[in-house]
Amino acid sequence: MPMPDTASTDPAPPDPVRSSTAPDAPLPPESTRPPAPDAAPSPGPTRPSAPPQIPGAGLPDDPAAALPAVPTQKVARHSVRGQVLDALRAALVGGELVPGEIYSGPALGERFGVSATPVREAMQQLAVEGAVECLPNRGFRVVERTVRELAELAEVRALLEVPVMLRLARTVPASTWPTLRPLAAATTAAAAAGDVAGYAESDRAFHRAVLSLAGNEQLVVVADDLHRRSQWPLPGVPVVRRADLVADAAEHSALLDALIAQDLPVVESLVREHFTGSHP
């Protein structure tokens, strides 16, 4: 049996626009209707609202919003570690850390007036560089070098740097080399004062500046590491004499003179002699 059509019998839903006082009154045309009190103009099509913003916070997809704040204590600790590392390197080059001897973190920390933690961290860096070896529950032992090791380092440095120096002598303008005179003068001053550790640092700074003109950062890093390793003393060998330091420092000025003159044979000779010498 067909179902009765109920659509025509259902009451129509109330019109919310009609006045509540005159529900059956016809509505005026839409264009003549007065605006509702305090009604804002129609904003047009509805758009999804933006998420609420919290003052001081970035959007969820802002990468900077997820970065944690850097604790100042951590920065200070790394600063102490760097200072201890510099002090240990100076003590190593100056002969205060004796090859073959074992040193503990707490004892060295007391010496430097710091806790054992930054000392251990600095010693671990020296272990990576090959200057010391870690002994569990004992401390760190300074590595004993051999004459052969130093000779091998000198050979590798010559193989790496001599071709670069010759290329620089041919390509770098002569007006550039005088800018390195202050670095050469720093090595001379440290040598005259007998400051072995200070000379070692200024010597590396001079060579880094020269090699950086090649535009190869990896070359500078590798050469500096080899240079640092060649500065560690041999066991039983006394600290380098002041006269040896002064002679070594003089080679820096002579090298600059040869580079300015583009005297390739002299450049090569000076670089090889500088590496094979017994000075830092």
Side-chain angles (χ1 to χ4, degrees), residues 122-178:
M123 278 293 196
Q124 288 169 358
Q125 176 60 35
L126 289 178
V128 171
E129 297 175 2
V132 302
E133 56 182 344
C134 302
L135 303 177
N137 302 321
R138 297 182 63 189
F140 303 87
R141 179 166 55 202
V142 179
V143 173
E144 297 185 78
R145 318 299 305 289
T146 65
V147 174
R148 176 167 181 170
E149 285 180 89
L150 292 181
E152 291 174 348
L153 285 170
E155 181 180 4
V156 174
R157 290 184 67 195
L159 290 171
L160 183 66
E161 296 190 38
V162 168
V164 176
M165 292 284 192
L166 294 176
R167 176 162 58 88
L168 293 176
R170 293 190 299 267
T171 58
V172 174
S175 59
T176 301
W177 298 115

Side-chain angles (χ1 to χ4, degrees), residues 21-220:
T21 57
D24 297 327
L27 291 174
E30 186 174 354
S31 58
T32 60
R33 296 178 191 174
D38 300 330
S42 175
T46 304
R47 297 180 180 178
S49 59
Q53 299 296 311
I54 301 176
L59 295 175
D61 57 349
D62 184 1
L67 294 177
V70 179
T72 56
Q73 294 84 352
K74 187 175 183 180
V75 174
R77 189 187 71 173
H78 280 293
S79 176
V80 171
R81 186 195 82 115
Q83 295 177 32
V84 172
L85 180 59
D86 291 340
L88 289 175
R89 283 172 171 165
L92 182 65
V93 174
E96 297 176 54
L97 294 180
V98 182
E101 293 293 326
I102 299 175
Y103 298 89
S104 70
L108 290 173
E110 184 177 354
R111 169 181 170 179
F112 294 125
V114 298
S115 67
T117 299
V119 174
R120 291 193 182 100
E121 292 175 345
M123 278 293 196
Q124 288 169 358
Q125 176 60 35
L126 289 178
V128 171
E129 297 175 2
V132 302
E133 56 182 344
C134 302
L135 303 177
N137 302 321
R138 297 182 63 189
F140 303 87
R141 179 166 55 202
V142 179
V143 173
E144 297 185 78
R145 318 299 305 289
T146 65
V147 174
R148 176 167 181 170
E149 285 180 89
L150 292 181
E152 291 174 348
L153 285 170
E155 181 180 4
V156 174
R157 290 184 67 195
L159 290 171
L160 183 66
E161 296 190 38
V162 168
V164 176
M165 292 284 192
L166 294 176
R167 176 162 58 88
L168 293 176
R170 293 190 299 267
T171 58
V172 174
S175 59
T176 301
W177 298 115
T179 62
L180 303 185
R181 293 286 188 190
L183 295 175
T187 66
T188 301
D195 183 359
V196 178
Y199 179 82
E201 183 59 38
S202 60
D203 183 37
R204 290 201 318 278
F206 174 83
H207 284 268
R208 284 197 303 267
V210 173
L211 294 177
S212 66
L213 296 175
N216 188 326
E217 295 183 3
Q218 298 306 314
L219 167 69
V220 176

